[in-house]
Amino acid sequence: MKTYNIGIIGTGYIAQTMAEALAFVPQARLHAVGSRNSETAKDFAAKYNCLGYSSYEAVAADPEVDIVYISTPHNLHCENTLMCIAKGKHVLCEKPFAVNAMEVDLMINAARAKGVFLMEALWTRFNPRIIAAKEVLDSKRLGKIKLLKGDFGLRIPAAENSRHHNKSLIGGSVMDLGIYPLFLAQLLMGKPKTITATAGIGPTGVDTNCSVTLGYADDALAVIYSSILAHTDCNASVYCENGDLLFDKWVHLPEKVTIVPLNENPETLEVETIDNCYNYEVEEVIKCIEQGKTQSDLWSWDDSKLLIETLDEIRRQIGLEYEGHDNIN
Ligand SMILES: NC(=O)c1ccc[n+]([C@@H]2O[C@H](COP(=O)([O-])OP(=O)(O)OC[C@H]3O[C@@H](n4cnc5c(N)ncnc54)[C@H](OP(=O)(O)O)[C@@H]3O)[C@@H](O)[C@H]2O)c1
Protein backbone atom coordinates (compact mmCIF):
# COMPACT_ATOMS: atom_id res chain seq x y z
CA MET A 1 0.00 0.00 0.00
CA LYS A 2 1.58 3.27 -1.15
CA THR A 3 1.82 6.14 1.29
CA TYR A 4 1.27 9.60 -0.17
CA ASN A 5 3.35 12.53 1.03
CA ILE A 6 1.23 15.58 1.70
CA GLY A 7 2.53 19.13 1.55
CA ILE A 8 0.49 21.91 3.13
CA ILE A 9 0.62 25.51 1.95
CA GLY A 10 -0.34 27.98 4.71
CA THR A 11 -0.28 27.41 8.45
CA GLY A 12 -3.57 28.86 9.74
CA TYR A 13 -6.65 27.38 11.36
CA ILE A 14 -7.58 24.92 8.65
CA ALA A 15 -3.98 23.89 7.91
CA GLN A 16 -3.66 22.78 11.55
CA THR A 17 -7.03 21.03 11.46
CA MET A 18 -5.92 19.15 8.35
CA ALA A 19 -2.56 18.26 9.89
CA GLU A 20 -4.48 16.61 12.73
CA ALA A 21 -6.86 14.82 10.34
CA LEU A 22 -4.02 13.33 8.29
CA ALA A 23 -3.13 11.10 11.22
CA PHE A 24 -6.42 9.29 10.53
CA VAL A 25 -5.69 8.60 6.86
CA PRO A 26 -3.66 5.39 6.65
CA GLN A 27 -2.22 6.18 3.20
CA ALA A 28 -1.33 9.82 3.93
CA ARG A 29 1.70 11.24 5.67
CA LEU A 30 2.31 14.90 6.38
CA HIS A 31 5.69 15.56 4.75
CA ALA A 32 6.13 19.34 4.67
CA VAL A 33 4.50 22.68 5.30
CA GLY A 34 5.18 26.01 3.64
CA SER A 35 4.74 29.41 5.21
CA ARG A 36 5.55 33.00 4.28
CA ASN A 37 7.39 33.19 7.56
CA SER A 38 10.29 30.91 8.56
CA GLU A 39 9.47 31.01 12.29
CA THR A 40 5.85 30.05 11.63
CA ALA A 41 7.02 27.22 9.37
CA LYS A 42 9.42 26.01 12.04
CA ASP A 43 6.76 26.04 14.78
CA PHE A 44 4.22 24.21 12.61
CA ALA A 45 6.82 21.65 11.52
CA ALA A 46 7.83 20.99 15.13
CA LYS A 47 4.21 20.62 16.26
CA TYR A 48 3.20 18.25 13.45
CA ASN A 49 6.51 16.51 12.88
CA CYS A 50 7.18 17.48 9.27
CA LEU A 51 9.58 19.62 7.25
CA GLY A 52 9.00 23.38 7.44
CA TYR A 53 9.75 25.55 4.42
CA SER A 54 9.85 29.33 4.50
CA SER A 55 8.05 29.63 1.16
CA TYR A 56 5.13 28.05 -0.65
CA GLU A 57 7.33 27.49 -3.71
CA ALA A 58 9.57 25.14 -1.74
CA VAL A 59 6.63 22.81 -1.03
CA ALA A 60 5.73 22.72 -4.72
CA ALA A 61 9.36 22.10 -5.66
CA ASP A 62 9.94 19.25 -3.18
CA PRO A 63 10.14 16.06 -5.29
CA GLU A 64 8.97 14.00 -2.31
CA VAL A 65 5.59 15.77 -2.15
CA ASP A 66 2.79 13.91 -3.95
CA ILE A 67 -0.26 16.00 -3.03
CA VAL A 68 -0.44 19.65 -2.00
CA TYR A 69 -3.24 20.89 0.24
CA ILE A 70 -3.78 24.62 -0.25
CA SER A 71 -5.08 26.38 2.83
CA THR A 72 -4.36 30.01 2.06
CA PRO A 73 -6.98 32.80 1.85
CA HIS A 74 -9.29 32.81 -1.16
CA ASN A 75 -7.30 35.39 -3.14
CA LEU A 76 -4.35 32.96 -3.40
CA HIS A 77 -6.14 29.75 -4.33
CA CYS A 78 -5.72 30.08 -8.08
CA GLU A 79 -2.14 31.33 -7.97
CA ASN A 80 -1.04 28.64 -5.47
CA THR A 81 -2.83 25.88 -7.36
CA LEU A 82 -1.28 26.85 -10.70
CA MET A 83 2.17 26.91 -9.11
CA CYS A 84 1.73 23.39 -7.70
CA ILE A 85 0.26 21.96 -10.89
CA ALA A 86 3.16 23.41 -12.89
CA LYS A 87 5.47 21.34 -10.67
CA GLY A 88 3.40 18.22 -11.39
CA LYS A 89 1.67 18.01 -8.00
CA HIS A 90 -1.81 16.72 -7.32
CA VAL A 91 -3.81 19.46 -5.60
CA LEU A 92 -6.56 19.65 -3.00
CA CYS A 93 -7.48 23.34 -2.74
CA GLU A 94 -9.71 24.89 -0.08
CA LYS A 95 -13.13 26.37 -0.82
CA PRO A 96 -14.16 28.49 -2.59
CA PHE A 97 -12.02 26.89 -5.30
CA ALA A 98 -11.03 30.36 -6.52
CA VAL A 99 -12.47 33.87 -6.71
CA ASN A 100 -14.49 33.39 -9.89
CA ALA A 101 -15.25 31.00 -12.75
CA MET A 102 -12.46 32.46 -14.87
CA GLU A 103 -9.86 31.46 -12.27
CA VAL A 104 -11.46 28.03 -11.81
CA ASP A 105 -11.19 27.48 -15.58
CA LEU A 106 -7.47 28.29 -15.46
CA MET A 107 -6.97 25.75 -12.68
CA ILE A 108 -8.98 23.01 -14.39
CA ASN A 109 -7.27 23.58 -17.73
CA ALA A 110 -3.86 23.44 -16.08
CA ALA A 111 -4.69 20.16 -14.30
CA ARG A 112 -6.07 18.69 -17.50
CA ALA A 113 -2.96 19.68 -19.47
CA LYS A 114 -0.59 18.31 -16.84
CA GLY A 115 -2.64 15.19 -16.12
CA VAL A 116 -2.69 15.72 -12.36
CA PHE A 117 -5.53 15.32 -9.88
CA LEU A 118 -7.32 18.49 -8.76
CA MET A 119 -10.23 18.91 -6.37
CA GLU A 120 -11.93 21.66 -4.38
CA ALA A 121 -11.72 20.78 -0.69
CA LEU A 122 -15.47 20.77 -0.19
CA TRP A 123 -15.10 18.38 2.71
CA THR A 124 -18.83 18.25 3.49
CA ARG A 125 -19.38 16.25 0.28
CA PHE A 126 -17.36 13.37 1.68
CA ASN A 127 -18.93 13.30 5.14
CA PRO A 128 -20.61 9.88 5.55
CA ARG A 129 -23.73 11.53 7.03
CA ILE A 130 -24.12 13.69 3.93
CA ILE A 131 -23.59 10.66 1.68
CA ALA A 132 -26.22 8.68 3.62
CA ALA A 133 -28.68 11.59 3.60
CA LYS A 134 -28.30 11.98 -0.16
CA GLU A 135 -29.03 8.27 -0.57
CA VAL A 136 -32.29 8.70 1.39
CA LEU A 137 -33.33 11.60 -0.82
CA ASP A 138 -32.24 9.83 -4.02
CA SER A 139 -34.30 6.77 -3.01
CA LYS A 140 -37.43 8.98 -3.38
CA ARG A 141 -38.77 7.60 -0.11
CA LEU A 142 -39.61 11.20 0.84
CA GLY A 143 -40.63 12.17 -2.67
CA LYS A 144 -39.44 15.23 -4.51
CA ILE A 145 -37.77 18.13 -2.71
CA LYS A 146 -40.13 21.09 -2.57
CA LEU A 147 -38.22 23.52 -0.37
CA LEU A 148 -34.76 23.66 1.14
CA LYS A 149 -33.72 26.10 3.82
CA GLY A 150 -30.07 26.44 4.74
CA ASP A 151 -28.12 29.05 6.65
CA PHE A 152 -24.65 29.68 7.97
CA GLY A 153 -24.01 32.75 10.07
CA LEU A 154 -21.24 33.41 12.57
CA ARG A 155 -20.73 36.62 14.54
CA ILE A 156 -17.22 37.58 13.46
CA PRO A 157 -16.01 40.91 14.86
CA ALA A 158 -14.57 43.18 12.19
CA ALA A 159 -12.34 44.76 14.81
CA GLU A 160 -10.19 41.63 14.87
CA ASN A 161 -9.33 42.33 11.22
CA SER A 162 -10.39 38.80 10.26
CA ARG A 163 -10.02 37.59 6.71
CA HIS A 164 -13.84 37.34 6.66
CA HIS A 165 -14.15 41.15 6.63
CA ASN A 166 -11.08 41.72 4.47
CA LYS A 167 -11.94 42.47 0.87
CA SER A 168 -8.46 41.92 -0.53
CA LEU A 169 -8.50 38.42 1.00
CA ILE A 170 -11.88 37.88 -0.73
CA GLY A 171 -13.86 38.03 2.48
CA GLY A 172 -17.63 38.23 2.84
CA SER A 173 -20.31 35.95 4.19
CA VAL A 174 -21.36 34.26 0.98
CA MET A 175 -17.92 33.23 -0.30
CA ASP A 176 -16.88 31.91 3.10
CA LEU A 177 -20.03 30.57 4.78
CA GLY A 178 -22.95 30.80 2.36
CA ILE A 179 -21.04 28.49 0.08
CA TYR A 180 -21.99 25.54 2.32
CA PRO A 181 -25.80 25.77 2.07
CA LEU A 182 -25.36 26.71 -1.61
CA PHE A 183 -23.31 23.55 -2.05
CA LEU A 184 -26.01 21.51 -0.29
CA ALA A 185 -28.72 22.93 -2.53
CA GLN A 186 -26.61 22.14 -5.60
CA LEU A 187 -25.87 18.62 -4.38
CA LEU A 188 -29.50 17.81 -3.65
CA MET A 189 -31.38 19.94 -6.19
CA GLY A 190 -28.93 20.47 -9.05
CA LYS A 191 -28.52 23.55 -11.21
CA PRO A 192 -30.97 26.32 -10.33
CA LYS A 193 -33.14 27.88 -13.00
CA THR A 194 -33.13 31.23 -11.24
CA ILE A 195 -30.91 32.99 -8.71
CA THR A 196 -32.08 36.00 -6.70
CA ALA A 197 -29.68 37.55 -4.21
CA THR A 198 -29.62 40.51 -1.91
CA ALA A 199 -26.98 41.56 0.59
CA GLY A 200 -25.87 44.11 3.11
CA ILE A 201 -22.43 45.43 2.27
CA GLY A 202 -20.41 46.42 5.34
CA PRO A 203 -17.84 49.17 5.88
CA THR A 204 -14.98 47.02 4.57
CA GLY A 205 -16.81 46.50 1.29
CA VAL A 206 -17.78 42.84 1.68
CA ASP A 207 -21.23 41.32 2.18
CA THR A 208 -21.87 40.98 5.88
CA ASN A 209 -25.35 39.50 5.36
CA CYS A 210 -26.48 37.78 2.20
CA SER A 211 -29.69 36.02 1.23
CA VAL A 212 -30.14 33.93 -1.87
CA THR A 213 -33.20 32.24 -3.31
CA LEU A 214 -32.63 29.56 -5.91
CA GLY A 215 -35.52 28.53 -8.13
CA TYR A 216 -36.03 25.06 -9.62
CA ALA A 217 -38.60 23.19 -11.70
CA ASP A 218 -42.11 22.63 -10.29
CA ASP A 219 -41.95 25.68 -8.01
CA ALA A 220 -39.25 24.17 -5.80
CA LEU A 221 -37.04 26.68 -4.00
CA ALA A 222 -33.85 26.77 -1.94
CA VAL A 223 -33.76 29.67 0.51
CA ILE A 224 -30.30 30.37 1.82
CA TYR A 225 -28.69 33.02 3.97
CA SER A 226 -25.28 33.71 5.41
CA SER A 227 -23.90 36.23 7.84
CA ILE A 228 -20.71 37.40 9.49
CA LEU A 229 -22.73 39.72 11.76
CA ALA A 230 -25.10 37.25 13.40
CA HIS A 231 -24.87 33.75 14.76
CA THR A 232 -27.67 31.88 13.02
CA ASP A 233 -29.04 28.33 13.34
CA CYS A 234 -26.37 27.04 10.92
CA ASN A 235 -28.52 24.11 9.86
CA ALA A 236 -30.53 22.92 6.89
CA SER A 237 -34.02 21.50 6.41
CA VAL A 238 -35.16 19.72 3.29
CA TYR A 239 -38.94 19.65 2.94
CA CYS A 240 -40.18 16.98 0.55
CA GLU A 241 -43.53 15.69 -0.76
CA ASN A 242 -43.73 12.84 1.77
CA GLY A 243 -41.71 14.15 4.68
CA ASP A 244 -38.65 16.10 5.68
CA LEU A 245 -34.94 15.59 6.19
CA LEU A 246 -33.33 17.75 8.85
CA PHE A 247 -29.61 18.45 9.01
CA ASP A 248 -29.02 19.46 12.57
CA LYS A 249 -26.20 21.81 13.42
CA TRP A 250 -24.00 22.19 11.46
CA VAL A 251 -24.94 22.64 7.84
CA HIS A 252 -21.33 21.88 6.84
CA LEU A 253 -20.79 19.16 9.45
CA PRO A 254 -24.13 17.65 10.44
CA GLU A 255 -23.95 16.12 13.89
CA LYS A 256 -27.38 14.59 13.46
CA VAL A 257 -29.59 13.92 10.45
CA THR A 258 -33.27 13.20 11.12
CA ILE A 259 -35.77 11.71 8.69
CA VAL A 260 -39.31 12.85 9.44
CA PRO A 261 -41.68 10.90 7.17
CA LEU A 262 -45.30 12.14 7.01
CA ASN A 263 -47.45 10.45 9.69
CA GLU A 264 -44.55 8.34 10.96
CA ASN A 265 -42.14 8.71 13.87
CA PRO A 266 -38.93 10.64 13.22
CA GLU A 267 -35.88 8.49 12.65
CA THR A 268 -32.26 9.41 13.24
CA LEU A 269 -29.93 8.47 10.43
CA GLU A 270 -27.33 6.46 12.33
CA VAL A 271 -23.92 7.08 10.77
CA GLU A 272 -20.67 7.02 12.69
CA THR A 273 -17.87 9.37 11.70
CA ILE A 274 -14.26 9.44 12.82
CA ASP A 275 -11.98 12.31 13.80
CA ASN A 276 -12.77 15.83 12.62
CA CYS A 277 -14.08 14.57 9.24
CA TYR A 278 -11.38 16.27 7.13
CA ASN A 279 -9.88 12.79 6.69
CA TYR A 280 -12.65 11.80 4.26
CA GLU A 281 -11.75 14.28 1.52
CA VAL A 282 -8.11 13.18 1.65
CA GLU A 283 -9.17 9.55 1.38
CA GLU A 284 -11.16 10.50 -1.72
CA VAL A 285 -8.14 12.24 -3.28
CA ILE A 286 -5.93 9.21 -2.73
CA LYS A 287 -8.60 6.79 -3.95
CA CYS A 288 -9.00 8.77 -7.18
CA ILE A 289 -5.24 9.06 -7.75
CA GLU A 290 -4.88 5.29 -7.26
CA GLN A 291 -7.62 4.80 -9.87
CA GLY A 292 -5.76 7.06 -12.30
CA LYS A 293 -8.41 9.77 -12.17
CA THR A 294 -7.74 13.50 -12.39
CA GLN A 295 -11.03 14.46 -10.77
CA SER A 296 -13.52 13.01 -8.32
CA ASP A 297 -16.94 11.71 -9.36
CA LEU A 298 -18.32 12.87 -6.00
CA TRP A 299 -17.16 16.48 -6.42
CA SER A 300 -16.09 16.95 -10.02
CA TRP A 301 -14.65 19.91 -11.89
CA ASP A 302 -18.11 20.55 -13.32
CA ASP A 303 -19.55 20.60 -9.80
CA SER A 304 -16.99 23.17 -8.69
CA LYS A 305 -17.57 25.15 -11.87
CA LEU A 306 -21.32 25.30 -11.30
CA LEU A 307 -20.88 26.38 -7.70
CA ILE A 308 -18.49 29.21 -8.57
CA GLU A 309 -20.79 30.31 -11.41
CA THR A 310 -23.62 30.55 -8.88
CA LEU A 311 -21.36 32.60 -6.60
CA ASP A 312 -20.37 34.82 -9.56
CA GLU A 313 -24.04 35.50 -10.30
CA ILE A 314 -24.82 36.22 -6.65
CA ARG A 315 -21.93 38.68 -6.50
CA ARG A 316 -23.02 40.30 -9.74
CA GLN A 317 -26.47 40.88 -8.27
CA ILE A 318 -25.22 42.23 -4.93
CA GLY A 319 -22.58 44.39 -6.62
CA LEU A 320 -19.58 42.77 -4.97
CA GLU A 321 -16.55 42.94 -7.22
CA TYR A 322 -13.09 41.87 -6.08
CA GLU A 323 -10.48 44.15 -7.56
CA GLY A 324 -7.62 42.38 -9.27
CA HIS A 325 -9.68 39.24 -9.88
CA ASP A 326 -13.02 40.20 -11.39
CA ASN A 327 -14.25 41.68 -14.56
CA ILE A 328 -17.83 40.67 -14.01
CA ASN A 329 -19.86 43.79 -14.75
N1 LIG B 1 -13.15 23.41 5.03
C1 LIG B 1 -13.37 24.10 6.12
O1 LIG B 1 -14.07 23.68 7.04
C2 LIG B 1 -12.72 25.42 6.29
C3 LIG B 1 -12.70 26.03 7.52
C4 LIG B 1 -12.01 27.22 7.64
C5 LIG B 1 -11.40 27.78 6.53
N2 LIG B 1 -11.50 27.16 5.34
C6 LIG B 1 -10.86 27.73 4.15
O2 LIG B 1 -9.44 27.59 4.32
C7 LIG B 1 -8.75 28.73 3.84
C8 LIG B 1 -7.95 29.35 4.97
O3 LIG B 1 -8.80 29.65 6.04
P1 LIG B 1 -8.26 29.72 7.56
O4 LIG B 1 -9.45 29.91 8.41
O5 LIG B 1 -7.34 28.60 7.84
O6 LIG B 1 -7.47 31.09 7.49
P2 LIG B 1 -6.27 31.59 8.40
O7 LIG B 1 -6.35 30.95 9.75
O8 LIG B 1 -6.27 33.05 8.31
O9 LIG B 1 -4.99 30.99 7.69
C9 LIG B 1 -4.64 31.34 6.37
C10 LIG B 1 -3.16 31.10 6.17
O10 LIG B 1 -2.84 31.52 4.86
C11 LIG B 1 -1.57 32.13 4.83
N3 LIG B 1 -1.66 33.47 4.21
C12 LIG B 1 -1.11 33.83 3.02
N4 LIG B 1 -1.35 35.10 2.74
C13 LIG B 1 -2.07 35.59 3.76
C14 LIG B 1 -2.57 36.88 4.05
N5 LIG B 1 -2.43 37.92 3.22
N6 LIG B 1 -3.25 37.05 5.20
C15 LIG B 1 -3.44 36.01 6.04
N7 LIG B 1 -2.96 34.77 5.83
C16 LIG B 1 -2.27 34.55 4.70
C17 LIG B 1 -1.08 32.21 6.26
O11 LIG B 1 -0.09 31.22 6.43
P3 LIG B 1 1.47 31.63 6.49
O12 LIG B 1 1.54 32.90 7.26
O13 LIG B 1 2.06 30.49 7.22
O14 LIG B 1 1.95 31.77 5.10
C18 LIG B 1 -2.29 31.90 7.10
O15 LIG B 1 -1.96 31.18 8.26
C19 LIG B 1 -9.86 29.62 3.25
O16 LIG B 1 -9.99 29.30 1.90
C20 LIG B 1 -11.12 29.19 3.98
O17 LIG B 1 -12.31 29.41 3.26
C21 LIG B 1 -12.12 25.99 5.20
Side-chain angles (χ1 to χ4, degrees):
M1 194 169 75
K2 177 174 158 64
T3 300
Y4 290 80
N5 281 333
I6 313 291
I8 296 183
I9 282 186
T11 55
Y13 163 77
I14 201 66
Q16 299 190 39
T17 311
M18 177 56 86
E20 281 155 24
L22 289 177
F24 292 85
V25 184
Q27 280 187 269
R29 181 184 157 271
L30 178 54
H31 173 78
V33 72
S35 171
R36 297 166 300 170
N37 179 296
S38 58
E39 279 306 304
T40 313
K42 216 165 94 187
D43 290 349
F44 190 105
K47 188 168 174 191
Y48 296 105
N49 191 25
C50 64
L51 297 171
Y53 293 126
S54 56
S55 76
Y56 299 157
E57 288 78 7
V59 175
D62 182 337
E64 300 286 313
V65 169
D66 299 300
I67 302 163
V68 180
Y69 170 62
I70 291 169
S71 71
T72 47
H74 310 158
N75 60 309
L76 293 178
H77 288 181
C78 179
E79 178 185 323
N80 293 162
T81 295
L82 293 178
M83 175 185 72
C84 293
I85 290 175
K87 294 287 183 185
K89 304 302 182 196
H90 303 296
V91 173
L92 174 65
C93 175
E94 262 308 332
K95 42 58 63 173
F97 215 7
V99 179
N100 53 39
M102 207 171 52
E103 291 189 354
V104 167
D105 273 339
L106 288 175
M107 293 155 68
I108 291 172
N109 290 340
R112 188 181 283 116
K114 202 78 178 172
V116 295
F117 181 85
L118 171 68
M119 190 175 87
E120 181 177 16
L122 242 165
W123 66 310
T124 306
R125 176 65 183 101
F126 311 98
N127 184 305
R129 279 193 198 108
I130 291 282
I131 290 171
K134 181 164 163 44
E135 278 168 11
V136 170
L137 292 164
D138 288 348
S139 77
K140 297 287 175 243
R141 173 180 167 195
L142 298 176
K144 283 188 188 156
I145 300 172
K146 290 285 136 197
L147 187 65
L148 180 151
K149 171 257 155 188
D151 68 281
F152 200 168
L154 301 175
R155 194 176 287 113
I156 301 171
E160 289 173 13
N161 194 25
S162 76
R163 65 176 177 76
H164 303 84
H165 288 270
N166 187 323
K167 195 169 182 187
S168 61
L169 301 184
I170 320 298
S173 81
V174 75
M175 292 290 271
D176 208 273
L177 304 176
I179 188 172
Y180 283 108
L182 288 167
F183 147 76
L184 194 65
Q186 179 179 315
L187 180 71
L188 302 179
M189 302 174 79
K191 182 176 179 169
K193 282 168 59 176
T194 59
I195 300 172
T196 313
T198 181
I201 303 292
T204 63
V206 302
D207 63 299
T208 47
N209 280 322
C210 184
S211 91
V212 182
T213 302
L214 305 173
Y216 300 87
D218 302 327
D219 305 337
L221 292 179
V223 179
I224 282 158
Y225 55 90
S226 56
S227 180
I228 51 174
L229 293 182
H231 196 110
T232 68
D233 292 337
C234 304
N235 60 17
S237 305
V238 186
Y239 306 104
C240 307
E241 289 168 311
N242 306 321
D244 309 324
L245 193 92
L246 310 177
F247 293 87
D248 213 341
K249 220 166 203 171
W250 304 78
V251 61
H252 64 307
L253 177 64
E255 285 164 13
K256 188 176 168 201
V257 179
T258 311
I259 307 168
V260 191
L262 277 184
N263 308 318
E264 285 178 46
N265 289 330
E267 182 189 312
T268 302
L269 199 55
E270 298 294 349
V271 183
E272 289 304 313
T273 56
I274 58 160
D275 189 45
N276 60 19
C277 291
Y278 289 93
N279 46 310
Y280 297 114
E281 60 183 351
V282 181
E283 281 167 9
E284 173 69 5
V285 174
I286 291 173
K287 191 171 127 198
C288 291
I289 292 170
E290 298 231 304
Q291 291 172 349
K293 293 179 175 171
T294 52
Q295 55 179 310
S296 162
D297 295 331
L298 293 182
W299 194 246
S300 68
W301 293 345
D302 278 352
D303 292 329
S304 288
K305 191 72 196 299
L306 178 56
L307 187 57
I308 199 74
E309 282 169 358
T310 301
L311 285 162
D312 279 357
E313 175 57 18
I314 292 166
R315 291 198 297 108
R316 193 190 64 76
Q317 291 186 22
I318 66 176
L320 176 54
E321 193 166 341
Y322 293 114
E323 213 175 300
H325 295 266
D326 287 330
N327 181 21
I328 56 177
N329 284 327

